[in-house]
Amino acid sequence: MGIRGELYTTQVLLDNRSYFFNVKENRAGDVFLQVVESKKGDGSDFDRHQIAVFAEDMQKFFAGLDDALKFIEKDRKAKQKARAEKKAEKDARFAKGGEGTKRVYRKKGEEPKQDDGIKRTGKVIHVVSKRAVNDPAETSEE
């Protein structure tokens, strides 16, 4: 038996937290699973949270975990299907012969495709007027 009754340990490292799965044995000889979450807290300390699941309760624990995972997967698939339907509806609405026209925007820094006298800068569209050089509004009185 290892340190503090540890029989087996594995670690899962993520960006901002770590999970430890420890199989331990207590003084009475009962084997249990200890799940520890450790995440970086304020400063240099770590926040640690742990649960212990004893061998006789593991089947029920994992059945509940499996039910939760099935629900998450079902919900994910439902949301993905709803997104696909919404996209298909939008594409159908803006397709040729549809009721609306799809707006096409250019990327920042990209030159406009046509020269129609409209200056496009960011979110604001400025209409450039074509005045004559000797327009009296442009000349100032001196």
Side-chain angles (χ1 to χ4, degrees), residues 42-53:
D42 298 331
S44 62
D45 59 338
F46 287 87
D47 291 333
R48 289 177 50 97
H49 304 281
Q50 62 187 12
I51 62 168
V53 182

Side-chain angles (χ1 to χ4, degrees), residues 100-140:
T101 59
K102 190 171 185 177
R103 295 181 184 175
V104 179
Y105 296 96
R106 65 180 177 86
K107 294 180 182 176
K108 190 172 184 178
E110 185 179 285
E111 293 296 323
K113 303 275 186 209
Q114 70 277 1
D115 184 27
D116 56 358
I118 299 175
K119 180 181 177 185
R120 294 172 175 85
T121 58
K123 295 181 181 178
V124 180
I125 297 176
H126 303 278
V127 178
V128 179
S129 63
K130 298 181 180 178
R131 295 185 210 150
V133 176
N134 55 6
D135 190 5
E138 288 186 6
T139 59
S140 60

